[in-house]
Amino acid sequence: MAEPVEQDGMLIEWDVGIVMDDGVAVRADVFRPKVQGKWPVLLTYGPYAKGLAFQKGYPSAWQAMIAHHPDVAYGSTNKYQNWEVVDPEKWVPHGYVCVRVDSRGTGRSPGHVDHFSPRETRDFYQCIEWAGVQSWSNGKVGLNGISYYAINQWQVASLQPPHLKAMCIWEGAADWYRDMTHHGGILSTFWANWYDMQVKTVQFGLGERGPRSVVNGALVCGDETMSDDKLARNRSSFGDDILAHPLDDDYHKARSPNWDKVTVPFLSAANWGGQGLHTRGNFEGFVRAASKEKWLECHGLEHWTHFYTDYGRNLQKRFFDFYLKGEANGWAEQPKVRLQVRHVDRFVERHEADWPLPSTAWTRFYLDPRDQTLSLAPPAEDAAVSFAAMGDGLTFMSRPLTEETEITGPLAANLRISSSTEDADIFVVFRVFSSDLREVTFAGAIDPHTPVAQGWLRASHRKLDETLSRPYRPYHSHDEVQRLQPGKPVDLAIEIWPTSIVVPKGHRIALSVRGKDYAWQATTGAKLSNFKNELLGCGPFLHDDPRDRPQGLFAGTTTLHIDQKGFCHVVVPVVRSR
């Protein structure tokens, strides 16, 4: 291992080996203050290659971010910017050590790639414990990162590493089945495509075929150049592995947190526009983790942006200064929930005591078959309304709202349906329309035209976990398949992920009941360099694998059965005005 180099006001150690219990040495870059001392550590462990510059690996995201948020680039040379982890130039001067570890099999760390597996979680645990006993460490390790670097914090916290003292989970899903791979039991194709675009491209062993670090010139993906066959043998068949586990079995449970074991203090930061990955887990973690010291924040915009802005970084710094440095900065006294409440044209910050919000008035809006309206009163007559089971479905729209209305929290749709086949996939979209019937969409975590909220359910997965379910947040067990009898109605309770929107007077709310993914327009031209698909409203979080949705089973006719008792309705979290 080379001696530390002094560079840009920091001491930097490149490619430090951390030996795991099976002898594999994963590799880390360590950025620390020049002054001798013992410092708290911010650590990340993940697959995006510590040597790949943000600007080179994710150019479209970087350019958009600094164009609209110049504070991100200000005060740094930006030479050490990496995708979804902290900029050491903005942390080391404040008395932190930043450690970036390439996860097993990626970047400059050898080994077999198996994302979120128990092996990876053990590696992460051992990296934390290694960092906690180094000569430059004060023994307090914090975890801070976005997406992958947030998701795996929940899992490793379940193992309770002794030196882990605080973590900031910035837009990190938690439940491997419900948040990530199977929305309502329907396979998400995101992970298979992500694997191709963001992991295989930086796998250890690409060597000379991979990029070089713009800072130190090292080969980003290791010094050995392997054949395609050897690279394939050194990684899991990720998409196929997920497809092979359609129920929430031991495979998924081994990649999900044990909430009773998550006891470390944490800040959980969600994104209202993160439908499909970057919303649900942050709220579930805040509600269900055993930690006594936990805070929830939720914001908007692209999922990487506020992690790097002064707003996000200062929030993270206050949290870590309190837990890793012991600074008396008042963090413990601040309200548990901090929201950037979303309006159609801005965000307004507000602090709350708990989640769901104590001031919520859970309000039922009923599906009315007459003119497909959404009403506060149940319909006057029974009706059966049908649509193509893999088509655009039906939209039920309210009359113009008579006053400004805030909707903040989780939602739930209760539907009675039948199918001409033995199954049906239901996609529900909660939407807002202006007075002239133009849909209001938002810059989401990934997609620039994200709807207000979404939910999904495969009818054969309708079984509820009665212990965990709430009227406003159904929780499905996903442990057995209950086929439909063609033509016979069944009742579905569909979880719609949390959202926030202050709907202006005169606007309308709507619920679309569909048989396929939401699409804002047929074409948008919107693309990001790290995703395969055009961004049409759902970003990369699509549900279109024909192996999971065979035509013979899903391409029939779906019928909504609406009655005068109002069974078909959506539960909406209307926040009482103060």
Side-chain angles (χ1 to χ4, degrees):
M1 183 176 67
E3 288 294 311
V5 296
E6 185 175 326
Q7 202 164 292
D8 296 307
M10 303 177 287
L11 286 179
I12 306 174
E13 296 175 81
W14 304 112
D15 240 21
V16 179
I18 306 174
V19 181
M20 301 293 100
D21 55 4
D22 63 353
V24 171
V26 296
R27 297 289 171 177
D29 291 342
V30 179
F31 305 83
R32 53 190 174 94
K34 292 189 298 181
V35 181
Q36 288 293 319
K38 292 183 178 292
W39 312 99
V41 181
L42 293 180
L43 185 142
T44 51
Y45 175 97
Y48 296 140
K50 61 186 176 60
L52 182 65
F54 193 141
Q55 301 91 321
K56 187 172 182 179
Y58 300 85
S60 52
W62 174 258
Q63 290 300 328
M65 180 167 61
I66 62 170
H68 294 103
H69 303 277
D71 54 318
V72 171
Y74 181 76
S76 172
T77 69
N78 298 296
K79 288 171 12 186
Y80 309 96
Q81 294 279 13
N82 269 194
W83 179 243
E84 298 187 336
V85 299
V86 301
D87 177 3
E89 289 187 89
K90 292 192 175 183
W91 287 88
V92 171
H94 296 282
Y96 285 89
V97 175
C98 297
V99 177
R100 294 173 174 168
V101 186
D102 279 340
S103 58
R104 182 182 292 241
T106 66
R108 292 186 62 82
S109 293
H112 188 265
V113 183
D114 190 7
H115 296 296
F116 303 112
S117 65
R119 173 69 263 177
E120 237 197 27
T121 303
R122 290 197 301 274
D123 290 349
F124 196 3
Y125 177 107
Q126 291 172 44
C127 290
I128 292 167
E129 291 306 291
W130 173 86
V133 298
Q134 297 306 299
S135 60
W136 33 256
S137 172
N138 72 353
K140 296 181 178 181
V141 178
L143 307 178
N144 191 20
I146 313 173
S147 193
Y148 198 107
Y149 299 102
I151 293 167
N152 61 8
Q153 294 182 41
W154 295 120
Q155 285 106 313
V156 79
S158 301
L159 300 183
Q160 300 183 334
H163 287 95
L164 177 59
K165 302 302 180 184
M167 57 185 193
C168 174
I169 308 99
W170 201 273
E171 301 188 33
D175 187 313
W176 181 235
Y177 189 90
R178 292 163 185 80
D179 297 350
M180 294 182 265
T181 64
H182 291 78
H183 298 133
I186 309 170
L187 178 73
S188 170
T189 56
F190 167 75
W191 291 101
N193 293 326
W194 165 85
Y195 200 44
D196 290 343
M197 298 294 286
Q198 292 184 236
V199 177
K200 293 179 182 178
T201 53
V202 288
Q203 185 180 350
F204 175 85
L206 281 173
E208 293 285 355
R209 293 194 285 161
R212 285 188 180 271
S213 166
V214 296
V215 180
N216 64 15
L219 288 166
V220 167
C221 302
D223 297 329
E224 182 182 356
T225 303
M226 299 179 183
S227 67
D228 288 343
D229 285 346
K230 187 171 183 181
L231 288 169
R233 290 195 299 273
N234 281 349
R235 61 179 183 250
S236 65
S237 300
F238 198 48
D240 290 340
D241 290 349
I242 293 168
L243 180 70
H245 294 273
L247 295 176
D248 186 21
D249 58 13
D250 290 342
Y251 167 83
H252 294 282
K253 288 180 169 60
R255 289 157 174 78
S256 300
N258 179 342
W259 292 121
D260 292 339
K261 297 291 187 181
V262 179
T263 57
V264 65
F266 67 78
L267 168 63
S268 177
N271 188 318
W272 301 123
Q275 304 292 318
L277 187 61
H278 294 301
T279 300
R280 182 185 186 275
N282 286 100
F283 288 99
E284 285 287 298
F286 176 75
V287 171
R288 297 182 62 195
S291 302
K292 301 300 183 186
E293 301 167 77
K294 54 186 178 180
W295 283 264
L296 173 68
E297 187 271 353
C298 194
H299 52 268
L301 304 181
E302 306 85 5
H303 90 92
W304 51 84
T305 298
H306 270 313
F307 181 80
Y308 293 97
T309 62
D310 288 348
Y311 164 78
R313 184 173 49 83
N314 289 335
L315 184 67
Q316 298 156 31
K317 188 173 180 299
R318 280 192 63 226
F319 170 74
F320 284 118
D321 284 351
F322 181 80
Y323 280 106
L324 302 187
K325 291 184 173 183
E327 290 188 6
N329 59 12
W331 177 270
E333 287 73 48
Q334 78 170 28
K336 292 295 185 181
V337 177
R338 176 178 182 152
L339 304 179
Q340 300 295 328
V341 176
R342 185 166 58 180
H343 292 244
V344 296
D345 58 351
R346 67 193 187 281
F347 294 90
V348 177
E349 184 168 293
R350 191 173 73 228
H351 293 253
E352 296 279 355
D354 204 356
W355 181 270
L357 306 185
S359 58
T360 303
W362 301 103
T363 305
R364 291 187 176 190
F365 284 85
Y366 298 93
L367 279 62
D368 194 322
R370 297 169 300 177
D371 302 323
Q372 289 180 208
T373 55
L374 205 58
S375 306
L376 288 169
E381 58 189 37
D382 296 350
V385 190
S386 299
F387 60 92
M390 297 182 79
D392 292 327
L394 307 167
T395 295
F396 296 82
M397 187 177 295
S398 76
R399 291 179 172 81
L401 299 186
T402 57
E403 61 183 9
E404 181 180 82
T405 304
E406 180 184 337
I407 296 168
T408 298
L411 301 88
N414 289 271
L415 304 176
R416 182 168 290 140
I417 70 118
S418 64
S419 173
S420 63
T421 70
E422 292 186 334
D423 214 340
D425 285 345
I426 303 296
F427 298 71
V428 291
V429 189
F430 189 77
R431 306 165 76 180
V432 169
F433 290 84
S434 65
S435 57
D436 58 357
L437 298 183
R438 288 178 295 111
E439 184 173 8
V440 178
T441 59
F442 301 91
I446 301 295
D447 199 293
H449 300 103
T450 301
V452 176
Q454 297 183 76
W456 310 261
L457 185 62
R458 176 157 289 171
S460 60
H461 285 237
R462 63 192 178 277
K463 177 184 173 184
L464 291 169
D465 182 318
E466 300 294 347
T467 301
L468 292 174
S469 287
R470 302 289 180 268
Y472 54 80
R473 201 277 273 115
Y475 192 96
H476 299 89
S477 58
H478 297 296
D479 59 0
E480 65 174 304
V481 174
Q482 299 179 334
R483 293 286 187 213
L484 307 183
Q485 294 182 33
K488 183 178 180 179
V490 295
D491 294 343
L492 309 181
I494 304 173
E495 177 184 10
I496 303 176
W497 286 16
T499 193
S500 176
I501 177 62
V502 177
V503 185
K505 178 182 177 180
H507 280 46
R508 303 168 188 250
I509 62 172
L511 186 77
S512 292
V513 182
R514 300 169 55 85
K516 63 179 181 179
D517 285 307
Y518 166 88
W520 179 65
Q521 286 185 173
T523 184
T524 65
K527 294 275 286 185
L528 282 172
S529 58
N530 51 310
F531 297 120
K532 292 180 180 180
N533 61 295
E534 186 178 7
L535 305 178
L536 301 179
C538 291
F541 308 112
L542 302 175
H543 307 82
D544 54 3
D545 190 325
R547 297 172 299 173
D548 180 64
R549 304 186 72 207
Q551 292 272 327
L553 190 56
F554 291 97
T557 298
T558 299
T559 301
L560 274 175
H561 298 268
I562 298 173
D563 62 32
Q564 298 177 61
K565 295 180 180 179
F567 181 84
C568 291
H569 64 270
V570 57
V571 178
V572 178
V574 176
V575 178
R576 300 182 185 93
S577 59
R578 285 158 173 76

Coordinates of all heavy atoms in Angstrom, one line a residue, residues 266-268 286 293-297 315 318-319 330-339 349-355 357-358:
F266 N -30.8 7.4 13.4 CA -30.7 7.6 11.9 C -31.6 8.8 11.5 O -32.5 9.2 12.2 CB -31.1 6.4 11.1 CG -32.5 5.9 11.3 CD1 -33.6 6.5 10.5 CD2 -32.9 4.8 12.1 CE1 -34.9 6.1 10.6 CE2 -34.2 4.4 12.2 CZ -35.2 5.0 11.4
L267 N -31.2 9.3 10.3 CA -32.0 10.3 9.6 C -32.4 9.7 8.3 O -31.5 9.2 7.5 CB -31.1 11.6 9.3 CG -31.7 12.6 8.3 CD1 -33.0 13.2 8.8 CD2 -30.7 13.7 8.1
S268 N -33.7 9.5 8.0 CA -34.2 8.9 6.8 C -34.8 10.0 5.9 O -35.7 10.7 6.3 CB -35.3 7.9 7.2 OG -35.9 7.3 6.1
F286 N -38.7 4.7 9.1 CA -39.0 5.6 10.2 C -40.1 5.1 11.1 O -40.0 5.2 12.3 CB -39.4 7.0 9.6 CG -39.8 8.0 10.7 CD1 -38.8 8.6 11.4 CD2 -41.1 8.3 10.9 CE1 -39.2 9.5 12.4 CE2 -41.5 9.2 11.9 CZ -40.5 9.8 12.7
E293 N -34.0 7.0 18.5 CA -33.6 8.3 18.0 C -33.6 8.3 16.5 O -32.6 7.8 15.9 CB -32.2 8.6 18.6 CG -32.2 8.7 20.1 CD -30.7 8.7 20.6 OE1 -30.1 9.7 20.6 OE2 -30.3 7.6 21.1
K294 N -34.7 8.7 15.9 CA -34.8 8.7 14.4 C -35.6 9.9 13.9 O -36.5 10.4 14.6 CB -35.5 7.4 14.0 CG -36.9 7.1 14.7 CD -37.4 5.7 14.4 CE -38.7 5.4 15.1 NZ -39.2 4.1 14.8
W295 N -35.2 10.3 12.8 CA -35.8 11.5 12.1 C -36.1 11.2 10.7 O -35.5 10.4 10.0 CB -34.8 12.7 12.2 CG -34.8 13.3 13.6 CD1 -35.5 14.4 14.0 CD2 -34.0 12.9 14.7 NE1 -35.2 14.7 15.3 CE2 -34.3 13.8 15.8 CE3 -33.1 11.8 14.9 CZ2 -33.7 13.6 17.0 CZ3 -32.5 11.7 16.1 CH2 -32.8 12.6 17.2
L296 N -37.2 11.8 10.2 CA -37.6 11.7 8.8 C -37.6 13.0 8.1 O -38.1 14.0 8.7 CB -39.1 11.1 8.8 CG -39.8 11.0 7.5 CD1 -39.1 10.0 6.6 CD2 -41.3 10.7 7.7
E297 N -37.1 13.0 6.9 CA -37.1 14.2 6.0 C -37.6 13.8 4.7 O -37.4 12.6 4.3 CB -35.7 14.8 5.9 CG -35.6 16.1 5.2 CD -35.4 16.0 3.7 OE1 -35.3 14.9 3.2 OE2 -35.5 17.1 3.0
L315 N -27.9 19.8 6.6 CA -28.8 18.9 7.4 C -28.0 17.7 7.8 O -28.0 17.3 9.0 CB -30.0 18.5 6.6 CG -31.1 17.7 7.3 CD1 -31.8 18.5 8.4 CD2 -32.1 17.2 6.3
R318 N -25.3 18.6 10.5 CA -25.9 18.8 11.9 C -26.1 17.5 12.6 O -25.8 17.3 13.8 CB -27.2 19.6 11.8 CG -27.0 21.1 11.7 CD -28.3 21.8 11.9 NE -28.7 21.7 13.3 CZ -30.0 21.3 13.6 NH1 -30.9 21.2 12.7 NH2 -30.3 21.2 14.9
F319 N -26.7 16.6 11.8 CA -27.0 15.2 12.4 C -25.7 14.5 12.8 O -25.6 14.0 13.9 CB -27.8 14.4 11.3 CG -27.9 13.0 11.7 CD1 -28.8 12.6 12.6 CD2 -27.2 12.0 11.0 CE1 -29.0 11.2 12.9 CE2 -27.4 10.7 11.3 CZ -28.3 10.3 12.3
G330 N -28.3 21.2 19.3 CA -29.7 21.2 19.4 C -30.4 20.2 18.5 O -31.6 20.2 18.5
W331 N -29.6 19.3 17.9 CA -30.3 18.3 17.0 C -31.4 17.5 17.7 O -32.5 17.3 17.2 CB -29.3 17.4 16.4 CG -29.9 16.4 15.5 CD1 -30.4 15.1 15.9 CD2 -30.3 16.5 14.1 NE1 -31.0 14.5 14.8 CE2 -30.9 15.3 13.7 CE3 -30.1 17.5 13.2 CZ2 -31.4 15.1 12.4 CZ3 -30.6 17.3 11.9 CH2 -31.2 16.1 11.5
A332 N -31.1 17.0 18.9 CA -32.0 16.1 19.6 C -33.4 16.8 19.9 O -34.4 16.1 20.0 CB -31.4 15.6 20.9
E333 N -33.4 18.1 19.9 CA -34.6 18.8 20.3 C -35.5 19.1 19.1 O -36.6 19.5 19.2 CB -34.3 20.1 21.0 CG -33.8 19.9 22.5 CD -32.4 19.3 22.5 OE1 -31.5 19.9 21.8 OE2 -32.2 18.4 23.3
Q334 N -35.0 18.9 17.9 CA -35.8 19.3 16.7 C -36.9 18.3 16.5 O -36.8 17.1 16.8 CB -34.9 19.5 15.5 CG -34.5 18.3 14.8 CD -33.8 18.6 13.4 OE1 -33.3 19.7 13.3 NE2 -33.9 17.7 12.5
P335 N -38.0 18.8 15.9 CA -39.1 17.9 15.6 C -38.7 16.7 14.7 O -37.7 16.7 14.0 CB -40.1 18.7 14.8 CG -39.8 20.1 15.2 CD -38.3 20.2 15.5
K336 N -39.4 15.5 14.9 CA -38.9 14.3 14.3 C -39.1 14.3 12.8 O -38.5 13.5 12.1 CB -39.7 13.1 14.9 CG -39.4 12.9 16.4 CD -37.9 12.4 16.6 CE -37.6 12.0 18.0 NZ -36.2 11.6 18.2
V337 N -40.0 15.1 12.3 CA -40.4 15.1 10.9 C -40.2 16.4 10.2 O -40.7 17.4 10.8 CB -41.8 14.6 10.6 CG1 -42.2 14.6 9.2 CG2 -42.0 13.2 11.2
R338 N -39.4 16.5 9.1 CA -39.2 17.7 8.4 C -39.6 17.5 7.0 O -39.0 16.7 6.3 CB -37.7 18.1 8.5 CG -37.2 19.3 7.7 CD -35.8 19.5 8.0 NE -35.3 20.7 7.3 CZ -34.2 21.5 7.8 NH1 -33.6 21.1 8.9 NH2 -33.8 22.5 7.1
L339 N -40.5 18.2 6.5 CA -41.1 18.0 5.2 C -40.9 19.3 4.3 O -41.1 20.4 4.8 CB -42.6 17.7 5.2 CG -43.0 16.6 6.1 CD1 -44.6 16.4 6.1 CD2 -42.4 15.3 5.7
E349 N -41.2 24.4 3.5 CA -40.8 23.6 4.6 C -41.7 23.7 5.8 O -42.2 24.7 6.2 CB -39.4 24.0 5.0 CG -38.7 23.1 6.1 CD -37.3 23.4 6.3 OE1 -36.5 23.1 5.4 OE2 -36.9 23.9 7.4
R350 N -41.9 22.5 6.4 CA -42.7 22.5 7.6 C -42.2 21.3 8.5 O -41.8 20.3 8.0 CB -44.2 22.2 7.3 CG -45.1 22.4 8.5 CD -46.6 22.4 8.1 NE -47.0 21.0 7.8 CZ -47.7 20.7 6.7 NH1 -48.0 21.6 5.8 NH2 -48.1 19.5 6.5
H351 N -42.3 21.5 9.8 CA -41.9 20.5 10.8 C -43.1 19.9 11.4 O -44.1 20.6 11.7 CB -41.0 21.1 11.9 CG -39.7 21.5 11.4 ND1 -38.5 20.9 11.6 CD2 -39.3 22.6 10.6 CE1 -37.5 21.5 11.0 NE2 -38.0 22.5 10.4
E352 N -43.0 18.6 11.7 CA -44.2 17.8 12.2 C -43.7 16.9 13.3 O -42.5 16.6 13.4 CB -44.9 17.0 11.1 CG -45.5 17.8 10.0 CD -46.9 18.3 10.4 OE1 -47.4 18.0 11.6 OE2 -47.5 19.1 9.6
A353 N -44.6 16.4 14.1 CA -44.2 15.6 15.3 C -44.1 14.1 15.0 O -43.4 13.4 15.6 CB -45.2 15.8 16.4
D354 N -44.8 13.7 13.9 CA -44.8 12.2 13.7 C -45.3 12.0 12.2 O -45.7 12.9 11.5 CB -45.8 11.5 14.7 CG -45.4 10.1 14.9 OD1 -44.5 9.6 14.2 OD2 -46.1 9.4 15.7
W355 N -45.2 10.7 11.9 CA -45.7 10.3 10.6 C -46.5 9.0 10.7 O -46.0 8.1 11.5 CB -44.5 10.0 9.6 CG -45.0 9.6 8.2 CD1 -45.2 8.3 7.8 CD2 -45.3 10.4 7.2 NE1 -45.6 8.3 6.5 CE2 -45.7 9.6 6.1 CE3 -45.4 11.8 7.0 CZ2 -46.1 10.0 4.9 CZ3 -45.8 12.3 5.7 CH2 -46.2 11.4 4.7
L357 N -49.0 12.2 9.5 CA -49.2 13.4 10.3 C -50.3 13.4 11.2 O -51.4 12.9 10.8 CB -49.3 14.6 9.3 CG -48.3 14.7 8.2 CD1 -48.5 16.0 7.4 CD2 -46.9 14.7 8.8
P358 N -50.2 13.8 12.5 CA -51.3 13.8 13.4 C -52.5 14.5 13.0 O -53.6 14.2 13.4 CB -50.6 14.4 14.7 CG -49.1 14.2 14.5 CD -48.9 14.3 13.0

